[in-house]
């Protein structure tokens, strides 16, 4: 999966029963994050240029706005995947398709020809206050 890895470091001196709750908290936090990413992409309205692509009219996002979905391939492949359990749990949040991954990063950070259309970091900043602290 292409994307970010969220790792929560928990003091191992916490009681063992707490480790069983870590999976739920991390998975729920990652889910809240990807919901925010999807919400920002789908919320529109985009205010970029209008063009015809594959017989459809599409309004692109302007630089600085989240990407405006055209085929919905990127939005449809945003996912989370957890590994490990308890205090050793990590959760990846990103895209589960190679096709979507090849344009997720260029949209986020921009290219030599296209200015950034960030959605991942602004979404993380938006949920950070509700879920605690993250390092990125």
């Amino acid at each position: 999966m292409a994307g970010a890895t969220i790792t929560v470091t928990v003091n191992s001196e916490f009681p063992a029963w707490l480790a069983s709750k870590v999976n739920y908290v991390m998975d729920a936090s990652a889910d809240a994050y990807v919901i925010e990413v999807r919400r920002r992409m789908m919320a529109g309205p985009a205010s970029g240029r209008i063009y015809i692509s594959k017989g459809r009219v599409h309004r692109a996002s302007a630089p600085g706005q989240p990407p405006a979905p055209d085929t919905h391939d990127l939005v449809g492949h945003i996912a989370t995947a957890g590994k490990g359990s308890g205090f050793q749990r990590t959760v990846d949040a990103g895209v589960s398709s190679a096709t979507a991954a090849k344009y997720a990063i260029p949209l986020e950070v921009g290219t030599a020809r296209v200015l950034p259309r960030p959605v991942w970091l602004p979404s993380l900043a938006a949920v950070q206050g509700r879920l605690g602290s993250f390092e990125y």
Side-chain angles (χ1 to χ4, degrees):
M1 177 179 304
T5 299
I6 300 168
T7 303
V8 175
T9 305
V10 180
N11 185 333
S12 60
E13 294 176 12
F14 279 108
W17 65 265
L18 187 61
S20 67
K21 307 297 182 197
V22 172
N23 291 0
Y24 171 77
V25 171
M26 289 186 66
D27 291 347
S29 297
D31 289 344
Y33 173 51
V34 298
I35 288 168
E36 181 67 15
V37 171
R38 287 186 191 117
R39 186 196 67 74
R40 286 172 178 259
M41 290 179 71
M42 300 300 291
S47 62
R49 71 181 184 94
I50 298 173
Y51 62 93
I52 297 175
S53 170
K54 299 176 185 170
R56 295 185 314 268
V57 176
H58 175 68
R59 180 180 289 273
S61 57
Q65 293 179 333
D70 182 12
T71 64
H72 293 269
D73 189 45
L74 180 57
V75 173
H77 286 95
I78 295 171
T80 62
K83 330 180 252 253
S85 63
F87 298 136
Q88 312 309 303
R89 181 113 175 127
T90 61
V91 180
D92 295 332
V95 291
S96 59
S97 153
T99 304
K102 74 180 179 186
Y103 56 90
I105 293 173
L107 283 169
E108 185 73 17
V109 298
T111 67
R113 296 181 51 210
V114 178
L115 292 171
R117 270 77 173 167
V119 68
W120 296 90
L121 284 177
S123 296
L124 186 59
V127 298
Q128 187 171 350
R130 298 190 310 245
L131 302 175
S133 63
F134 295 89
E135 291 183 22
Y136 51 91

